[in-house]
DNA sequence: TCGCATGATGCCGATTGGGTATCAATATTA
DNA sequence: TAATATTGATACCCAATCGGCATCATGCGA
């Protein structure tokens, strides 16, 4: 026999009443059942918790020690269950959010702030990851929500567009293009490019390549960096040019110039994505929050 | 269905393994039983704790919240049970000890100190009480051990003598008797006596009276006080004389003189007493400790 | 002495817990 | 592509546990 919460609840009532019939009434059971339950608990512990006669019930020293712990166990159990329910209905718990460089440079900070103001008991856990990594982690249940590049069409996933950005060319301020107001994409054909690492930035490259192809060239990538900050650093050193999006370019360090690509209408979309079968707890509230926002421009 | 510790243990194992067959093996039950138990727990909570396919088991946000609490509940339960056992076998817990003025002025402090050195996890709870009060509280289970005056012969009680004291007369240093080396009890016949309150000191009076009666008088009590300190205070103010015991008199304040009663052979005994049916936990260890001491002189 | 109060025990039926067998769905392998 | 393996869920059945009613044993008070 393993002692259960039932036994512990029966014990607390008996310890408080010190009278088996009254304790049984309080518990809504018959006195013999209570008598046997306490005996079973004592047998399991191999400890006398009460000294009883047919006239009186007294609690032992061990019983008093057990009573302190028993009250804590019950309180902790009730609290744990209540917190699980609260987490289930989304009012508390962790929300693991993945984000790309484009998301964190754009709409995401304000989204997180707005949501956090509405759900103070939810703990946001932002985790950087490129799009493909986020998708994998969503599948594995390691992320609740992702902010990724481009529309995602995948079974079991749903999404909502949260931002849409024009492409921009970034050059060093010493570059001949720096004094221009804008460029045609074809003018980059002979330039050295700086880009992200071939594994992590494959997804972004798959958006950039068709744009260049239409102008008759493939970007000649001479340098790779790990993230946008690294890319921009290499560009400002004159190692080449790059193409990023308007939000990433909106707060440039000195030494860099951003140029519109006048003949490029394509935009880079950032979407919030989630697994439909995992939309429970705080994630459900976040998606509700997103749906209530005006559409992204 | 009320969730039980069994469910909580099953849940923790499942949350740690994230695989029902392996968790069931670890718990020593069949996988279908585990499946059903987790479902029952989820139904009770009305919370999804896992997202399961036939390929994978993932824990939900609510599941993770519940896991934190579940681990605490199990640890607290195990600890509480262990402490109850420890208290039962006497290694820890409270020991409620009653004492008289005679006990605390005599052997008791050293006894408590000696026991405490041997049983550091036991908390001693000394509580002053006159003999009759202590007996009542032992019967009610409010005390574990008493240090009372005189031999106690009462069904269900056992005892051991811990000290034995001669009677002494105490007078103010301005009293004519103060320059004497000793007295006969009959010399007190005409004196005003200071004694304890008639209710609380009845038990002591029942020892004193036969001694005076044998010398042909009953003490003429003119003043009452609540305890020995009060009695001695009144005596030092010249309000009368008193008869106490040697230990209480051993550290007198200025203004008081102690005189042996040369023809009184009776001694006042202080005994440790306990209920035989209540000799469990730390009380048992204390009594063992007393039995190991040399007999009281 | 009798009546009452109180915890323990006996007997029985209902409910719960667990095992084996099987199913449904998916992934892997040949 | 078909066969096989894996995995959680469900069906059926039996054993164990829990709780109720009736009764017993004991002690106290009128």
């Amino acid at each position: 026999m393993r002692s259960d919460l039932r036994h512990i609840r029966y014990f607390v009532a008996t310890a408080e009443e010190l009278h088996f019939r009254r304790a049984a009434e309080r518990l809504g059971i018959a006195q013999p059942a209570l008598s046997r339950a306490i005996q079973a608990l004592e047998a399991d512990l191999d400890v006398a918790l009460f000294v009883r006669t047919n006239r009186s019930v007294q609690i032992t020293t061990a019983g008093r020690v057990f009573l302190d712990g028993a009250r804590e166990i019950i309180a902790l159990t009730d609290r744990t269950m209540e917190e699980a329910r609260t987490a289930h209905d989304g009012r508390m718990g962790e929300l693991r959010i993945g984000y790309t460089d484009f998301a964190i440079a754009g709409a995401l900070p304000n989204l997180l702030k707005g949501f956090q103001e509405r759900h103070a008991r939810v703990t946001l856990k932002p985790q950087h990851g490129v799009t493909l990594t986020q998708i994998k982690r969503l599948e594995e249940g390691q992320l609740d929500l992702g902010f990724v590049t481009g529309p995602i069409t995948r079974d079991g996933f749903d999404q909502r567009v949260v931002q849409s950005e024009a492409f921009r060319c970034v050059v060093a301020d010493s570059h001949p293009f720096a004094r221009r107001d804008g460029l045609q994409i074809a003018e980059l054909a002979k330039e050295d490019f700086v880009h992200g690492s071939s594994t992590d930035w494959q997804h972004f490259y798959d958006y950039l390549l068709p744009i260049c192809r239409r102008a008759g060239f493939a970007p000649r990538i001479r340098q790779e960096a790990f993230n946008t900050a690294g890319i921009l650093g290499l560009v400002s050193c004159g190692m080449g040019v790059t193409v990023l999006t308007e939000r990433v370019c909106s707060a440039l360090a000195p030494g860099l110039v951003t140029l519109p690509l006048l003949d490029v209408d394509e935009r880079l979309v950032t979407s919030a994505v989630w697994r439909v079968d995992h939309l429970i707890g705080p994630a459900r509230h976040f998606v509700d929050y997103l749906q209530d926002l005006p559409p992204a421009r």
Side-chain angles (χ1 to χ4, degrees), chain A:
Chain A
M1 202 288 284
R2 293 290 293 260
S3 295
D4 278 322
L5 293 168
R6 179 173 61 87
H7 292 99
I8 291 171
R9 288 194 162 99
Y10 288 178
F11 167 76
V12 169
T14 307
E16 287 173 355
E17 295 284 344
L18 291 180
H19 188 291
F20 273 68
R21 179 183 56 76
R22 289 206 307 266
E25 280 173 3
R26 172 170 147 185
L27 293 162
I29 61 173
Q31 174 267 318
L34 178 61
S35 184
R36 280 185 295 237
I38 298 294
Q39 283 177 19
L41 175 61
E42 287 177 316
D44 187 41
L45 287 174
D46 200 19
V47 171
L49 299 169
F50 299 106
V51 176
R52 7 229 220 269
T53 69
N54 56 0
R55 286 284 118 186
S56 70
V57 178
Q58 289 164 9
I59 191 166
T60 62
T61 299
R64 289 202 303 279
V65 169
F66 193 72
L67 180 59
D68 288 343
R71 283 180 170 141
E72 274 186 74
I73 291 166
I74 291 171
L76 177 57
T77 302
D78 291 344
R79 192 164 67 243
T80 295
M81 288 179 176
E82 185 51 40
E83 284 177 355
R85 291 190 190 102
T86 302
H88 178 66
D89 69 25
R91 285 178 285 133
M92 73 172 289
E94 288 180 348
L95 184 57
R96 298 162 302 174
I97 297 180
Y99 62 88
T100 59
D101 286 347
F102 307 105
I104 203 68
L108 187 58
N110 279 330
L111 290 180
L112 296 182
K113 185 182 171 194
F115 179 77
Q116 187 78 99
E117 282 165 359
R118 289 158 175 78
H119 298 82
R121 291 179 76 193
V122 175
T123 305
L124 299 174
K125 295 266 184 171
Q127 306 172 18
H128 178 264
V130 295
T131 295
L132 295 184
T133 301
Q134 286 185 53
I135 299 296
K136 182 168 178 289
R137 304 195 66 186
L138 281 165
E139 282 172 344
E140 294 169 350
Q142 308 272 325
L143 277 186
D144 301 308
L145 208 61
F147 282 80
V148 300
T149 300
I152 299 294
T153 54
R154 203 170 183 98
D155 262 1
F157 280 62
D158 203 355
Q159 70 180 328
R160 177 180 163 101
V161 174
V162 295
Q163 79 188 24
S164 173
E165 300 172 90
F167 289 91
R168 294 281 157 83
C169 179
V170 188
V171 300
D173 60 9
S174 57
H175 194 282
F177 288 167
R179 291 179 294 284
R180 303 279 290 277
D181 290 329
L183 298 176
Q184 308 286 327
I185 186 66
E187 298 184 75
L188 299 177
K190 299 259 173 48
E191 300 295 326
D192 291 341
F193 269 74
V194 181
H195 196 58
S197 67
S198 58
T199 52
D200 283 353
W201 281 66
Q202 182 65 47
H203 191 69
F204 178 74
Y205 188 74
D206 290 344
Y207 284 97
L208 180 60
L209 186 59
I211 294 169
C212 301
R213 280 276 187 234
R214 209 183 56 231
F217 73 101
R220 191 170 61 194
I221 299 171
R222 295 299 186 185
Q223 296 285 341
E224 292 188 344
F226 286 106
N227 55 21
T228 52
I231 293 167
L232 294 173
L234 291 176
V235 171
S236 73
C237 293
M239 306 298 285
V241 301
T242 198
V243 175
L244 291 172
T245 60
E246 61 188 299
R247 289 290 178 87
V248 176
C249 303
S250 63
L252 284 184
L256 293 166
V257 175
T258 307
L259 302 167
L261 293 168
L262 300 175
D263 57 342
V264 177
D265 294 327
E266 287 93 335
R267 299 178 73 85
L268 193 80
V269 165
T270 295
S271 300
V273 295
W274 58 90
R275 270 173 55 186
V276 173
D277 68 344
H278 209 71
L279 192 63
I280 57 181
R284 176 165 53 91
H285 286 282
F286 198 95
V287 170
D288 288 346
Y289 166 67
L290 290 180
Q291 316 278 40
D292 289 344
L293 295 176
R297 289 144 313 143

